[in-house]
């Protein structure tokens, strides 16, 4: 009877995941993983990127169909890797990101509500308590399925945010999300050009740092000189502002209104509109659109591999349509 109930639960979980696949451009394994993670973090008043990455690493590449009976020791064995990504991401949030960028990614990009305000760097996994309580049901997603039967908005919102952040909705959607993150720091409806460039650079630097840690290429220490460097950032900012100015002048003299131009021009001379930023990026620096997807992919996939200590193990492949952007080793 126990095996029959277990089989029924497994079928119910597969059906739930397949339905999610009809709405979100993610694979079944990813959808099940994130359904599980959302179940673990739901109700948290404070959440950092480091904690979210740690939960992702604890789940790892678990596959209920491949793994058969759940080994209660498996999540314990993955805590070492979870601790690595937690510590590395905490360094990113403290030493690379500025102005609570990690919290902005949680709220704006991944669409997770932070009721408790800015996150702390406290580790919230509580694995020992969860293992003692759940035992062999550790990887079950039944509780999340039951919650979604009442209200699926939390899971749906997160999966959509993840899809866009990971580049699964196309480059324009990724650029829009970058703009939305940057506009959090603006009073008007535009975004500060320098902040847009800075966020893109910080995401790229953070991805390079995390990749080096995951592949055992360097010690867990951020090069603060490089992380605070403005190499090329001013010239990129000047290029964006010059592009926006040309667009506005062209629209003015042609008599054809440029979409959302008035939003930016009504604010500071250092602000740009969404359309100005998107057109500039696609025309001049198309890989800017890859900065957030590259960071998200490294954060949630590079520390979930079955054997991160093997030098022969290939890094996780990026999803189709996403070209990673890398800096030289940091």
């Amino acid at each position: 009877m126990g095996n029959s109930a277990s089989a029924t639960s497994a079928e119910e979980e597969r059906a739930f995941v397949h339905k999610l696949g009809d709405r979100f451009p993610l694979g079944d394994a990813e959808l099940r993983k994130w359904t599980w993670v959302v179940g673990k973090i739901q109700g948290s008043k404070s959440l950092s990127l480091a904690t979210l990455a740690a939960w992702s690493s604890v789940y790892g590449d678990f596959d209920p169909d491949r793994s058969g009976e759940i080994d209660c020791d498996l999540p314990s064995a993955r805590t070492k890797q979870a601790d690595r990504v937690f510590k590395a991401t905490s360094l990113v949030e403290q030493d690379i990101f500025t102005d609570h960028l990690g919290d902005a990614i949680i709220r704006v990009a991944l669409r997770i509500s932070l009721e408790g305000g800015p996150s702390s760097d406290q580790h919230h996994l509580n694995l020992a308590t969860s293992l003692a309580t759940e035992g062999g049901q550790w990887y079950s997603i039944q509780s999340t399925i039951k919650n979604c039967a009442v209200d699926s908005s939390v899971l749906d919102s997160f999966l959509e945010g993840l899809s866009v952040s990971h580049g699964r909705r196309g480059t324009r959607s990724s650029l829009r999300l970058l703009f939305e993150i940057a506009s959090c720091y603006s009073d008007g409806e535009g975004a500060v050009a320098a902040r847009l460039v800075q966020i893109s650079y910080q995401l790229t630097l953070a991805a390079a740092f995390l990749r080096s840690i995951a592949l055992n290429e360097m010690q867990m220490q951020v090069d603060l000189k490089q992380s605070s460097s403005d190499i090329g950032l001013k010239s990129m900012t000047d290029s964006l502002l010059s592009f926006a100015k040309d667009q506005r002048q062209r629209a003015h003299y042609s008599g054809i209104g440029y979409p959302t131009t008035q939003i930016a021009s009504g604010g500071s001379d250092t602000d740009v509109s969404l359309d100005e930023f998107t057109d500039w990026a696609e025309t001049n620096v198309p890989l800017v659109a890859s900065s957030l997807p590259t960071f998200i992919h490294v954060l949630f996939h590079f520390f979930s591999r079955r054997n991160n200590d093997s030098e022969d193990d290939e890094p996780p492949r990026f999803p189709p349509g996403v070209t990673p952007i890398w800096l030289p080793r940091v």
Side-chain angles (χ1 to χ4, degrees):
M1 183 173 180
N3 290 336
S4 176
S6 177
T8 301
S9 295
E11 286 297 326
E12 183 181 4
E13 290 184 359
R14 276 192 286 269
F16 180 82
V17 169
H18 287 326
K19 287 183 179 179
L20 290 176
D22 293 335
R23 292 182 288 131
F24 303 103
L26 302 167
D28 285 357
E30 290 177 281
L31 289 167
R32 191 189 190 283
K33 166 184 173 176
W34 290 113
T35 298
W36 180 84
V37 171
V38 167
K40 297 298 181 184
I41 66 173
Q42 197 162 357
S44 300
K45 293 184 178 180
S46 176
L47 181 70
S48 67
L49 277 178
T51 298
L52 188 60
W55 276 118
S56 171
S57 183
V58 168
Y59 187 95
D61 55 1
F62 173 77
D63 182 347
D65 295 326
R66 182 185 63 202
S67 303
E69 284 295 319
I70 296 175
D71 182 359
C72 291
D73 292 332
L74 181 59
S76 296
R78 295 216 44 95
T79 56
K80 179 181 178 181
Q81 192 68 353
D83 285 338
R84 286 185 75 217
V85 69
F86 180 84
K87 291 175 182 176
T89 309
S90 294
L91 281 175
V92 166
E93 293 185 277
Q94 294 166 14
D95 296 336
I96 296 180
F97 288 169
T98 56
D99 300 321
H100 300 292
L101 176 57
D103 290 327
I105 292 172
I106 288 279
R107 289 184 292 103
V108 180
L110 299 177
R111 304 182 182 181
I112 300 174
S113 175
L114 292 177
E115 297 178 0
S119 61
S120 66
D121 58 359
Q122 184 180 357
H123 205 319
H124 294 299
L125 295 189
N126 298 323
L127 292 176
T129 302
S130 298
L131 281 170
T133 305
E134 300 177 39
Q137 295 299 311
W138 171 257
Y139 284 113
S140 171
I141 59 173
Q142 285 294 314
S143 61
T144 310
I145 292 176
K146 291 177 182 177
N147 289 336
C148 287
V150 178
D151 183 5
S152 64
S153 61
V154 173
L155 178 62
D156 289 351
S157 181
F158 172 78
L159 290 177
E160 181 58 28
L162 181 68
S163 298
V164 177
S165 301
H166 203 191
R168 307 297 184 87
R169 296 293 193 193
T171 57
R172 281 232 155 193
S173 294
S174 297
L175 289 170
R176 174 183 288 273
L177 202 50
L178 274 178
F179 184 87
E180 290 176 358
I181 293 171
S183 64
C184 301
Y185 304 92
S186 300
D187 295 330
E189 295 185 47
V192 176
R195 186 59 179 150
L196 280 163
V197 172
Q198 183 186 52
I199 288 173
S200 300
Y201 174 71
Q202 289 178 356
L203 288 169
T204 304
L205 179 62
F209 170 71
L210 292 174
R211 177 179 181 269
S212 296
I213 296 297
L215 300 181
N216 300 305
E217 294 177 350
M218 66 175 292
Q219 298 297 316
M220 199 172 296
Q221 183 176 354
V222 177
D223 183 348
L224 293 176
K225 291 182 179 179
Q226 185 166 1
S227 68
S228 61
S229 173
D230 61 352
I231 301 174
L233 300 190
K234 186 178 186 304
S235 61
M236 287 183 66
T237 301
D238 291 343
S239 171
L240 173 53
L241 289 172
S242 176
F243 183 91
K245 182 178 179 181
D246 290 345
Q247 291 283 30
R248 295 169 197 173
Q249 289 179 342
R250 189 176 299 113
H252 174 75
Y253 288 118
S254 66
I256 301 174
Y258 190 70
T260 69
T261 297
Q262 284 73 23
I263 293 176
S265 60
S268 168
D269 291 338
T270 61
D271 290 358
V272 295
S273 71
L274 171 61
D275 291 317
E276 289 163 352
F277 169 64
T278 301
D279 289 350
W280 169 79
E282 291 180 334
T283 303
N284 296 280
V285 278
L287 279 180
V288 163
S290 295
S291 58
L292 181 59
T294 300
F295 171 74
I296 291 294
H297 187 77
V298 174
L299 183 68
F300 293 143
H301 290 267
F302 273 56
F303 292 87
S304 298
R305 297 181 299 156
R306 192 163 282 272
N307 182 14
N308 279 68
D309 294 328
S310 172
E311 293 181 0
D312 297 328
D313 204 13
E314 291 187 3
R317 294 182 179 180
F318 280 77
V322 176
T323 302
I325 177 172
W326 299 120
L327 289 177
R329 181 185 296 185
V330 297

